[in-house]
Structures are given as structure tokens and as C-alpha cells.
Amino acid sequence: MKKLVLVVDDDDSIREAVCDVLNDEGYQAVGAENGRQALDFLRAEGGPCLILLDLMMPVMDGATFRAKQLGDPHLSRIPVAIITAAGLQAAHGVPAHAILAKPLRIETLLGVVQQFCPIS
Amino acid sequence: MIIEPASSGAEFQPLLDAFNDPVLGTGRDGYIHYANGAVARLLGWDVTELVGKPLVSLMPQRLRSAHEAGFRRFMTTHESRIIGRPIRVPALHRSGVEIEVELTLSEVHGFGSTCVIAVLRDLRDRIELERKIEAQRKILAQYAAVAVLADATSAVEAMPRVLEATAQALKWELGIYWAQTPGGDRLAVAATWSSGSTAARRFLAGSAALTFARGDPMPGAVVAANEAVWSRDLANDPRYARSRLAQELGFRSALLFPVYCAQRTWGVLEYVSMREEELDEDLRRTMTALGFQIGQFLERLETEEALRRAWAQADAGRKNLHQLFEDAPAAIAIIRGPEMRYELSNATNQELAGGRQLVGRTVREALPELEADGITSAVQHVFDTGEPFVAREYPVTRPEAPGRASKEIFMNGVVQPLHGPTGAVEGVMLFAYDVTDLVLSRERVRDAEERLRLAVDAATVGTWDYHPQSGVVTADPRYRRLFGLGPDAPVTGDILAGAIHPEDRARVDAAVSRSLDPHAGGEFGIEYRTRGIEDGVERWVAVRGRTIFDENGQAVRFLGTGVDVTSERRALTHLQFLAEASTVLSSSLDYRATLDEMARLAVPRFADMCFVELTGEDRSFIGAAVAHVDPAKARLAREVRRRYPLVRGSVAPIERVFETGQPLLVPTVTEPLLREMARDEDHLRMLRELGARSMMLVPLKTRGGTIAVLGLVHSESGRRYTPEDLPFAGEVARRAATAVENARLYERATKAVGVRDQFLSIASHELRTPLTGLILHLSTLRRAIDTGRFGSIPSEKLAERIRLMDHQASRLSALIDELLDVSRISSGRLELKRERLDLNGLVNDVAASMTGEATKAGASISITGESGVVGSWDRSRLDQIVTNLVANAIKYAPGGPIWIDVARRDGTAIITVSDRGPGIPVADQGRIFDQFERVAPPGQGGLGLGLWIARRIVEAHGGSIGVASRPGDGAVFSVRLPLEGSQ
């Protein structure tokens, strides 16, 4: 069974591109447009092996999502990698397992995903 | 003063010697009985030689017989025209030289005989001073001209008045201002004044059409000479171009001087007279100085004009305040970090630094010259202590630069600490302006002012005489004036004592007791305040005197002189106050708190109540600082303001000062004035309770107009303000205004920097997003090729990837276009390619190109309105605007209908784009057209520049853009373009 990765980003093109890359690499990538959609997905469908999280999003931003995720005992253990375009400082104060800066290099992205969702 | 004669006079010798003024006494026979040292020194004799001489021998021969006759008549009839009345006569010095003196004769009865006491005053110094005062009139003429300049806002307005003021003061028939023609180096008539005589008018008519080059005869040659030139024989002066005209009309003399400043010569002022004027070197120098002052004024006008332009530009750009900061005529820099690195340096500061690279470098690296001037250590001190550094007329070495040598200049300024969130000093802001011209020109007139002051002082010495045993006091009119008494008012010790300021009374009493104590030597010297008995004016007087004791140690006489030292004292306390106020004003950028503090400082020294009424940047009244000697009255004053706020346009005193920008002095606040000020009975009651008796209202002016009014009020103390208080109050107001302006400028600059930083972060976010998509798609394709999987990608999937990459590339390109537009608009390089354009066609094209996007968002676009609305506009720019408005409607009002309408009204073409979205909150409507502003939260996409760019493009077309919206009820954007003039 393919390993599930949740991609949370409000920008269609980035979300789609990341999902495409991961799907090509043999993962099952699912997109969410904001923190609210991501929470809904997690509560309905269960845990992926990694969440890739954008910070600046409408409806519910990355920091709020992360706080709610950590407050939910069923979801709090899922590792999160932050993807940010606003510089690394913006990710300060949001606890995460990895931080990826935009523009995103495919090798870096796959390296991080491989680390949390190893496939032989 | 009256001195009793005595048979020998010997015991009065010390008393007589106590006077600076020469005194002598004669008996009935007209022979001198005694004389003091001063009279001996004045006339070149020893005291012993004088005693026994006939009084008339001290007069020139020609006056002796008349005097002897008068003296005899007086001794028989006791009638005299000159007793008790000072007269001016020549006295004869031992050497035969005549000395002008003021002679006061008094008649004295006692010891069975009648004697005459003569008090002489050496008038030579005074005559010399009067001559100098006469010379000062020229300087007063200069002041009159400078006063005109200070009020004027343009050269056109000022120059005729300057000509009139100076020509009238110096009694010249006519004056001409020859100005350099724009762009050329010729002089042409720019302003004239004449006495109105036919000859003067004909001379002006004959000059009107002439122009002169720099090397031509006068006025041309004056530009080259760069100093004032006299001509006393116009008809035969080869240097003068209009000799024939002058000869024909009878003009004989002319004075011409250049109007110049350090940088350039503006023109030449010419005065012509029918008299043969004496060559007056003083006047020539004065007029050269005046020319320099007018030159500075013109220079200042030009600077102000540049500033006005900068304001207008900044205003057009609204939030583009960085520009304002850049264009400020003062040097402004922000220096940060412990190593003192320049973060910001505006154009004036760059110019001052000789164009050196400052930003990014430390003060020590960039400007090592400042080390020697102490500026570097002053900045360091501000960093270390957080105390501001205030510099007034501080000498600074202007660094050398290509084409200019280093030079000492004088600057006014302040180095202000910038505190970080923890309160630590993180940086400093430096704000300074060049006052070199001011310092140099002031030095020129300081000398003249000093002489004038001495002359005035000499006229204020009064004398007094007190008999402790009888209690009788005599005082001359000058002494009486020190106590606010008229020349005929009765004088007693109690009356004079009652005028002494209550706070000084004990001190004066102690000094009097001490000098009446025979063991203390009898010397008396004290300065104290008096409150005028008749006029209420507060004065500082310096009183000197001496007590004469008899052989029993009893005080028999106590007498001396008194001088008005109010202006010196005033100057001293004013300087002290200004120094304190300046420190307070520059101690913080919280100007409301510092104005409060300043008001507290002014009470009770200069006022019983001090207030500052302040306006905000939008000119609305935003409250006042109030200080009062009585805290209850301060509360009452605040209550009055709360219940009766200021009303712009009202004729009440404070509002009037705001309106006119002129100070207002009310020496005596009267009941009718209070009635006039009060809006109702309650208001009147409160104003009466505040009890103002005298007040001054002074505007705080900046280049933008009157921003506040400083009020100084005397109530309880009974003190009164006089016109001499106004310049001081004006100076306080000027400093306070500068402090408020600096603080506001800094606020705006900080905001501008903050807005810029926020923009940079948004721009970088917006650019990275499409770039990320693009790179990821490219990388997957590259990996597919690398791993040999490329051939197995289905063609429809490949096409989809390419479409997505294409979309990202277009987004990047659109963002870059937007940034380029910003750069073009900000630097004024927006060019319009006007062509004949039908708006109906244009909006149809836009609608067609946007239909795909609209449909995707579930929206529809409808077009209504007139056809044939045609003008000359830039097609691609208008396309950009309408596209932007429609795209906004799709983005912010998704799924609803969108209408585009084209109409023509009163010579204006109007395009409206309406939606049915959530609308725009009223509070946000004003700012959505500003740079870097958007109502949507970040992450919604866009740089927030679309509407700003649209506004600037519409404005470049001479039109306007606006929005009407009620929240929840959609938004209507209208673009108005003028039809006329665009065809």
C-alpha cells in the first residue's frame, strides 16, 4: 500500500506540482487548500506519514492548523514539514519537524519525505 | 538732587565723590564753594584749584556776560528760566576745548544764605551715541526691509515693499530692482518704487525697457563687483549707463548694490536721488549686507518652492513618504547598531557628505572627518546614554568632494535616540540643517545692536535720595519710571517699597538694613523686581547707593542711582528657559508629552497659565497641554476646553491666531473681551473664574502652516505682557514647532520604512510562489528524463504539466510587469502612448479576454452604456486598468454578476465596473488606492499595487478613480477621464 502524504497549500499550482512529484515517486499525495480542509481530512481519513504545511493561507493559516493538530491527541504525533515563502523567520514559533524554503528544490523535498515516509 | 551747602563743604566731599556725575556748588557771589572729583576730572582741574574760581570762568568767553546777567537777576528776584531744568551748554576745559554738557541748576536755601548747586553731565559720549543711533537708522531701514521679507511668500510680492521701505527710510526718490532674467545672464527691471514725482516716473519709464549684461556699465558692473557702488555725479559718471537720462531729469546720486547669497547673484537694487548724497561708507556696508539678506531670502523662497513641489509630489503619491524624506531640505539620517552603521541617508545628507557612500558603512569609515568635530563622539554618547544631543550653530567640517574643498559650516540639529522594544537604544536619527549664512550675517549686525543697546541704557539711569531721619525721599523722573510712576506722582518710602516684588521684598529690606548699619561700610547694591504702580509692568532694576553717616554713626543720607536692567534679565532668564525648553523638546519624540512638560516649565516664570492648543496632521483640533500655578485652575481650563471646543473659522482669539498665523498680544484682558469670547453665560462665568488679566497667543508655524497656538496668560500675579515679550514667545513657539515637526516627520518616515519592508516581504512571497511551481514541474520532467521514464508519461498528462508551467511563467511575468510599473511611476517615467480610442470597443475587448476566468469563477460580465465615447488615451494602459478592476471583481466578489458601463457626462468619459460582492468597509475605501495597501489579508495573492497603479495611470491622463460601496452591497469603481484636450 502506498504511503500517504498530505500537502496543505492554498496555491493550486504549488499544491498540484508537489502532489505530482510525490505521486510520480510512488507516494499517495492528497492536497488541502487550507488548515480547515486539512483538519477535516485528517479527522475523516486518518493519519498520513507526513504533512507538508504552507504557513500563509486564508481561512485557517498554518500556525493555527499546527496548534489545533497538536491539541488533538489523535493527530498530534503526525510529523509536519513547513513550506514557507516568507523566509525562515516566519516559521519561528511554529513547531515543526522540518522547514523547507520556497522556491522548493525537488531533491530537498524528496529527501525530507523519504526521511519520514521511507519506501524501500 | 539737592545737596545742602556748608561753610567748609569738606565733610560732604566723600558724599559728592560718591556721584559719577560732576557736581559743584556756588555761593551768592557766583564763586565756586566746592566741587567733586568728577567735575575736576571733566574740566581738567584739581578740586582745590576749582574752589574759589568764578563759575563763569568755566564757560566759553562768549557766554559769560549773558550768564552773569542771568545769575545776578536770579539772586535778586529768584526768577529763572533754567533752575531745575536741564539745559545743554558748552563748558570750557582747562585746555580751552569746549565740552558739551547737560547742566542742571538747583537753588538751595540754608544757613541764612542762598546757594546754587550745579550738576553737570558729560554729553560727549551721549552725543557720540546719538550720532551712532542716527547711523543705526540705516540698520533700522535694513530691519524694516528684513521684516518685509520675513512675511513675504514670494519675490514678486516682497521686492516692491522692500524698495518702498528702504527708499522711504533713506529718503531716496526712487528704487529699482533689476533681476537676472531667467536662464540668461542679463539684468532687467523686475520691481520699482517711486515717490510719485514726474521726474521719478519718467526715470523709471526710461529704465523699464533696458537690459544689461554682467560686464555692461551700472547696474551691470555691480554684479561683477559684488558689493555696493556709489555714484555722486550721474551726469558725468562713465560707469553709469543712463547718464543722459539722469542729467535731463536732474538726478544726481545713485546707490546700487547686488542681491546675492553664497551661491549666486539674483539681481541688483538701485536707488536714485536728486540730492548730491555724501559718500557714506557705513551705509554702503549696510546696503551690501542688506543685499546679502535679500539674496538669502530669495534662496530660501526657492528652497521652500522646491519643498512645496516635494510636498505636492509626496501628496500625489500619498504614502510615498520616503520621497518626502528624501527631498526634505534638512539632512536626515538613521544610524543603527553599536558599530553605528548608516541605515538611511536622504539626498540633503548625501549632498552634505559630498556624495559619499554612507548607507551600509559605519560613521567612522564613511566620514572620518566628523571625529575631529566631536560629532562622532556625540553620536556615540547618544547611543551610550540615550540622551539626545542638541546642536545649535555647531561648527562642522563639510567633507571635501570632487570639485569642492572641505569647509567649516554651522549647523543646527538634533541627534535623537531610537529605542527598541526593550527600551534599549538601537539607533539614532540625525536631523540637521545648514545655518552658516544666518550665523555669518548675524555677526555683521551684532556689533551695531550692541552699540544701540548701550545708547538706550545711558538714557535709563535714575537717581534717588533718602533722608533716614526725616523719611523724605526724592527721586528723579527716570527713577520714578522704574517703579511705574509718572514724573509728578508723589513718592514716599512706603510707595516705593510697595512696588517691590513680594518675593524680593525681604531681600531688599535686608540689603537696606545692612547699608544703614555704620559698621557695614554703607555700600548698597542689589537687583530686584518691581511691579509698576501705575502701569503694572514687571521690571528688573539694579540699584546702587551709599549711606552717609554723621560723627555719631547716625545715617544722615542714603542716596544713589537705579537702572532698568529688565532686558538683560529678561534675556538671561529667557536664554535659560530656552535652553531648558529645547532640552525638553528634543528629549523625546512623544511631542504631546514634551509640550506638556514645556508648559509646566513656563509656569510661573513667564506666565501664571501656559497652554498649547494642538492640531493633528488633518488640521483638526486634538487637544491641549495646560499648566497653571493653581492646579484647580488648570482643571478648570481643561473643563472649559472640553465643553467649548475650538471652532475653525471662529473669530475668537485662539482661532484667529490659527487663521492668520500672526501672534496676538492682549496687554489687558477686559470684561468686554471676555463677553466677546464667551459662547454662553456659563462659559463667561468660567472665563471670569480663570481670571486672565493679560495674555499672548503665538502661533507654532511650520512650512505646512500653523500647527498649534502657544498661550501665555498672567492672572493672579497681576503681571502684564508688553510687545517686548513677543519675540521671546515667538522663539519658544518656533522651537516647539520644530520639535513637533521633527517628531511627526519621524513618525511618517518610520511608517514609510515599515510599509516598504512589508511590501518587500509580500513581493518576495508572491514571486516565490509561482517560481516554486515552475521549478517543481521542471524538476519532475528532468527526473523522468534522467530515469528513462519520460517516454511513458501519457501525452495528456504532459500537456497538462506544460499548461501549468506556462501559467506559472505568465504569473511571474505579470508580477514583474507590476513591479516595473511601480518603478516607472515612482521615478516619473510613466509614458502614455495616446491614440484615438473608442471606450466601448476597449471594454468589449477586456470582457472577451476575461470571460474564461469569469466563467471559471461562476461569474458573468455584462456591458452597458453609450457607444461612441471617443478620446485620445493610451489603449494598453486603459486595458490594464479595466482588466485589473474586472479581475478584482472576479477575485473578491466570486460567483456574482459584473457590469461594465461606459458613459459620457459634462466633458468626462466614465467607465464603471460594478459587482455584487461583500463590498468594501467605509474605513478602507480611502486607502485602497494607496501604494502597498490592500484590504485583503496576505496570502490572497497580489502585491497590493493594482489599484495604486490604476490611480496613477488615470491621473496621468488627467482623470480620477474612485469607489462607492456599502458593505454587503457590492462595490462600484468609476474611472473618469477628461474628453476635452484629449482629442
Side-chain angles (χ1 to χ4, degrees), chain B residues 218-293:
Chain B
M218 292 191 291
V222 180
V223 177
N226 216 24
E227 60 171 357
V229 178
W230 274 103
S231 176
R232 298 175 61 206
D233 185 10
L234 292 178
N236 299 304
D237 193 332
R239 300 172 301 167
Y240 197 71
R242 284 157 293 158
S243 296
R244 279 195 41 206
L245 183 65
Q247 186 173 25
E248 199 182 303
L249 297 170
F251 287 102
R252 298 172 74 178
S253 313
L255 171 61
L256 296 96
F257 57 92
V259 173
Y260 69 107
C261 62
Q263 280 76 34
R264 57 191 278 204
T265 301
W266 297 83
V268 171
L269 276 169
E270 174 177 23
Y271 296 93
V272 182
S273 166
M274 289 200 163
R275 297 182 305 273
E276 188 179 329
E277 298 283 355
E278 267 185 69
L279 176 66
D280 181 339
E281 192 52 32
D282 234 24
L283 181 59
R284 200 178 67 87
R285 272 203 303 274
T286 305
M287 290 300 120
T288 305
L290 176 59
F292 181 68
Q293 270 169 319

Side-chain angles (χ1 to χ4, degrees), chain B residues 276-331:
Chain B
E276 188 179 329
E277 298 283 355
E278 267 185 69
L279 176 66
D280 181 339
E281 192 52 32
D282 234 24
L283 181 59
R284 200 178 67 87
R285 272 203 303 274
T286 305
M287 290 300 120
T288 305
L290 176 59
F292 181 68
Q293 270 169 319
I294 298 173
Q296 279 180 276
F297 160 74
L298 294 173
E299 173 92 350
R300 192 193 82 206
L301 278 186
E302 201 171 71
T303 313
E304 281 175 355
E305 182 54 38
L307 188 81
R308 263 198 293 281
R309 277 199 301 274
W311 269 98
Q313 203 182 340
D315 192 45
R318 297 283 289 279
K319 283 295 181 296
N320 196 1
L321 280 157
H322 202 67
Q323 191 68 33
L324 170 71
F325 199 70
E326 271 300 306
D327 292 348

Side-chain angles (χ1 to χ4, degrees), chain A residues 10-11 13 21 25 85 103 107, chain B residues 768-769 772 780 783 808 811 939:
Chain A
D10 63 315
D11 189 277
S13 67
V21 169
E25 293 297 320
E107 288 78 11
Chain B
R768 279 175 185 165
T769 301
T772 299
T780 45
R783 277 174 74 84
Q808 307 300 351
R811 266 176 76 183

Side-chain angles (χ1 to χ4, degrees), chain A residues 9-14 16-18 20-25 54 56-58 83-88 101-107 109-110, chain B residues 761-762 764-766 768-773 775-777 779-780 782-784 789 793 797 800-801 803-804 807-808 811 934 937-940:
Chain A
D9 195 319
D10 63 315
D11 189 277
D12 298 354
S13 67
I14 292 188
E16 283 165 22
V18 172
D20 277 354
V21 169
L22 296 181
N23 287 333
D24 279 1
E25 293 297 320
D54 185 24
M56 278 159 74
M57 290 180 294
I83 304 177
T84 173
L88 293 178
K102 290 180 189 173
L104 204 52
R105 295 182 55 79
I106 194 163
E107 288 78 11
L109 171 67
L110 290 176
Chain B
S761 110
I762 291 172
S764 105
H765 180 267
E766 292 301 319
R768 279 175 185 165
T769 301
L771 205 55
T772 299
I775 289 172
L776 283 176
H777 285 301
S779 316
T780 45
R782 183 174 48 75
R783 277 174 74 84
R789 283 188 283 129
I793 301 175
K797 192 165 181 182
E800 171 63 10
R801 295 244 166 116
R803 191 191 62 73
L804 285 171
H807 178 62
Q808 307 300 351
R811 266 176 76 183
R934 59 176 176 184
Q940 284 282 70

Side-chain angles (χ1 to χ4, degrees), chain A residues 45-72:
Chain A
E45 311 282 331
C49 57
L50 179 68
I51 300 168
L52 292 168
L53 180 67
D54 185 24
L55 288 179
M56 278 159 74
M57 290 180 294
V59 184
M60 181 192 290
D61 65 14
T64 314
F65 164 79
R66 184 71 175 124
K68 289 198 182 289
Q69 184 216 343
L70 286 170
D72 183 332

Side-chain angles (χ1 to χ4, degrees), chain B residues 372-434:
Chain B
D373 292 334
I375 298 284
T376 312
S377 57
V379 171
Q380 183 75 57
H381 186 75
V382 176
F383 261 104
D384 294 344
T385 63
E387 288 167 17
F389 171 68
V390 184
R392 291 194 59 78
E393 294 167 13
Y394 194 97
V396 180
T397 313
R398 192 185 63 182
E400 65 178 355
R404 87 178 191 202
S406 77
K407 180 184 165 195
E408 178 171 76
I409 59 171
F410 295 90
M411 305 210 68
N412 279 3
V414 56
V415 183
Q416 190 80 51
L418 303 175
H419 298 281
T422 63
V425 180
E426 291 189 342
V428 300
M429 174 171 154
L430 194 144
F431 179 94
Y433 51 97
D434 187 345

